[in-house]
Amino acid sequence: MEDEHDSQVVTNRQIILKHYVKGFPKESDMILTTAAVELKVPAGAGEAILLKNLYLSCDPYMRHRMGILHDSYTTSFTPGQPIIGLGVGRVVDSSHPGFEKGELVWGMTQWEDYTLIQSDVESLFKITNKAVPLSYYTGILGMPGATAYFGFHEVCSPKEGETVFVSAAAGAVGQLVGQFAKSVGCYVIGSAGSEEKVDLLKNKLGFDDAFNYKKEPDLNIALKRYFPKGIDIYFENVGGNMLEAVLLNMRCYGRIAACGMISQYNLEEPEGVRHLFEIVAKRIRMEGFVVFDYYPKYNKFSDTIISLLDQGKISYVEDIVEGLENAPSALIKLFHGANFGKQVVVVARE
Ligand code: NAP
């Protein structure tokens, strides 16, 4: 722990949650402040590490944490404290026996330049492969990639020749689900909210077809057009009227992986869902999942993805925003469909 930084104190910029959020989040719900930080783990901090944050991940679930939560799979952020989120960082100092200065990690950190991590240090994943861009550990090699991989392969039980529909298909998770589905010989259609995203799905990411759901007056009719024989697998990212339309178009013994329902996250009252009897009549299995249940299998997943990347067998699209100060506006983009691929914020590059 002894080094030249021992007594160095620097400015720590932080993005603070101002108050609990209602409705769509706004930039003004978060503020940029500064504090001083000493570049070493304080005496008495126990087994801790000080992380220099490099890349931050903007993820839809963060909206839940900006509000008041009861009995949820996660907890609320604390107003007045930095936003908590996934990111990639470099260990600046460590009093933890498992981590050394200079190591790169990804996992839960805070929206600031430097974060002292005292609890759950062991839950950070070490980054040992230096050949892939570090930002990929916020996406394809991080939480969203694992969501797509395990959600598709383990929850959807896919079989060659089946039809697959993915909503929010041009996002961090969706773009990968479509490619995993193609890799096992499925027929895949994606929906997204702009012509540019539809073009990306069809011409870069290898989806068989795609449509702009915002241009479809009737989603049921649209799905009948794209799936004349019905949908075997629906990878659910949005909920709301898309889920209702999908239920009307599922095939018998179909599977729905309930990954997320972003259309509901900013509503003060969630919408109801019609056509649930389709689940009975068609013997549909609809199963929710949360990615962290699959983290024990992370190493096998990351080896698989790194091999696919090495062989050029998978494409990946990121939307990179520069600067911690731009993190609030980057997060808000997710809820307006303004991100093009995985939304990442660069705090520092090394
Ligand atoms: P993302 O797709 O990169 O970004 C969110 C996208 O959702 C937006 O770009 C937008 O795309 C779409 N969207 C926003 N508001 C919408 C609305 N009202 N109706 C329909 N679409 C809307 O995000 P992601 O990280 O890949 O996450 C996708 C989903 O997976 C989310 O529901 C998220 O909560 C969920 N998720 C779940 C887990 C898990 O463990 N279960 C883990 C990670 C993510 P368009 O242009 O297409 O509208």
Side-chain angles (χ1 to χ4, degrees):
M1 277 177 60
E2 294 289 316
D3 65 27
E4 74 277 12
H5 290 311
D6 263 6
S7 58
Q8 198 183 342
V9 174
V10 298
T11 300
N12 193 23
R13 298 172 303 154
Q14 302 180 308
I15 304 290
I16 306 286
L17 180 70
K18 223 162 141 184
H19 42 232
Y20 289 123
V21 172
K22 280 192 175 171
F24 279 80
K26 305 177 294 302
E27 277 186 59
S28 57
D29 295 324
M30 294 163 265
I31 40 169
L32 176 68
T33 62
T34 55
V37 62
E38 195 171 357
L39 290 184
K40 66 177 207 175
V41 173
E47 293 186 343
I49 64 171
L50 183 68
L51 208 58
K52 178 176 184 185
N53 294 307
L54 302 177
Y55 296 90
L56 297 176
S57 179
C58 295
D59 294 292
Y61 79 88
M62 296 171 76
R63 171 62 189 87
H64 299 302
R65 302 195 70 180
M66 296 172 105
I68 299 173
L69 292 172
H70 303 288
D71 286 338
S72 182
Y73 70 102
T74 185
T75 53
S76 298
F77 294 150
T78 307
Q81 295 295 317
I83 302 279
I84 299 167
L86 290 162
V88 173
R90 186 184 297 281
V91 178
V92 172
D93 190 28
S94 172
S95 59
H96 191 290
F99 292 84
E100 284 177 20
K101 181 182 168 186
E103 285 184 319
L104 291 162
V105 298
W106 76 267
M108 274 300 168
T109 183
Q110 299 194 148
W111 280 23
E112 56 192 345
D113 290 306
Y114 296 93
T115 302
L116 179 69
I117 301 183
Q118 289 178 274
S119 59
D120 283 338
V121 183
E122 299 77 13
S123 68
L124 292 168
F125 294 89
K126 288 194 187 184
I127 298 173
T128 49
N129 185 313
K130 308 282 164 61
V132 288
L134 276 180
S135 59
Y136 280 23
Y137 288 89
T138 66
I140 185 169
L141 281 164
M143 183 279 282
T147 302
Y149 187 84
F150 294 112
F152 182 69
H153 289 296
E154 302 214 4
V155 182
C156 295
S157 314
K159 291 192 263 321
E160 189 179 348
E162 288 190 318
T163 57
V164 177
F165 177 50
V166 188
S167 52
V173 175
Q175 60 173 302
L176 300 171
V177 173
Q179 295 181 77
F180 296 144
K182 286 309 300 172
S183 74
V184 296
C186 292
Y187 178 79
V188 192
I189 306 277
S191 66
S194 74
E195 298 307 316
E196 199 188 0
K197 291 184 184 182
V198 167
D199 182 63
L200 171 80
L201 296 172
K202 292 202 289 194
N203 299 319
K204 177 159 184 198
L205 299 174
F207 283 60
D208 291 292
D209 213 335
F211 65 91
N212 179 350
Y213 69 94
K214 290 181 180 166
K215 289 274 170 66
E216 295 290 345
D218 186 324
L219 292 172
N220 177 27
I221 291 173
L223 289 171
K224 286 198 162 45
R225 195 162 73 239
Y226 287 99
F227 294 98
K229 293 185 177 164
I231 301 168
D232 292 304
I233 292 172
Y234 174 44
F235 198 96
E236 164 68 302
N237 284 322
V238 305
N241 61 351
M242 185 64 90
L243 175 58
E244 291 186 343
V246 166
L247 287 170
L248 293 172
N249 286 277
M250 289 297 290
R251 300 185 72 184
C252 281
Y253 306 105
R255 282 85 66 204
I256 299 177
C259 173
M261 299 192 179
I262 195 169
S263 71
Q264 308 298 298
Y265 297 175
N266 297 304
L267 304 180
E268 293 205 18
E269 277 299 317
E271 293 170 330
V273 181
R274 296 175 300 165
H275 311 307
L276 286 174
F277 185 70
E278 299 290 318
I279 293 176
V280 180
K282 293 170 176 162
R283 289 81 107 196
I284 293 165
R285 173 165 62 82
M286 182 166 178
E287 183 177 338
F289 71 99
V290 176
V291 64
F292 48 64
D293 290 345
Y294 295 91
Y295 279 179
K297 301 183 192 179
Y298 175 77
N299 287 343
K300 193 159 171 266
F301 151 78
S302 70
D303 289 348
T304 305
I305 298 296
I306 286 170
S307 160
L308 290 173
L309 286 167
D310 283 349
Q311 297 171 66
K313 286 190 174 165
I314 194 159
S315 298
Y316 180 55
V317 180
E318 295 177 294
D319 185 334
I320 305 253
V321 162
E322 297 285 338
L324 178 67
E325 67 281 10
N326 294 316
S329 57
L331 177 62
I332 287 162
K333 282 166 69 182
L334 300 177
F335 304 103
H336 301 281
N339 60 309
F340 193 78
K342 169 65 202 171
Q343 187 65 59
V344 183
V345 177
V346 185
V347 182
R349 291 189 188 273
E350 57 185 37

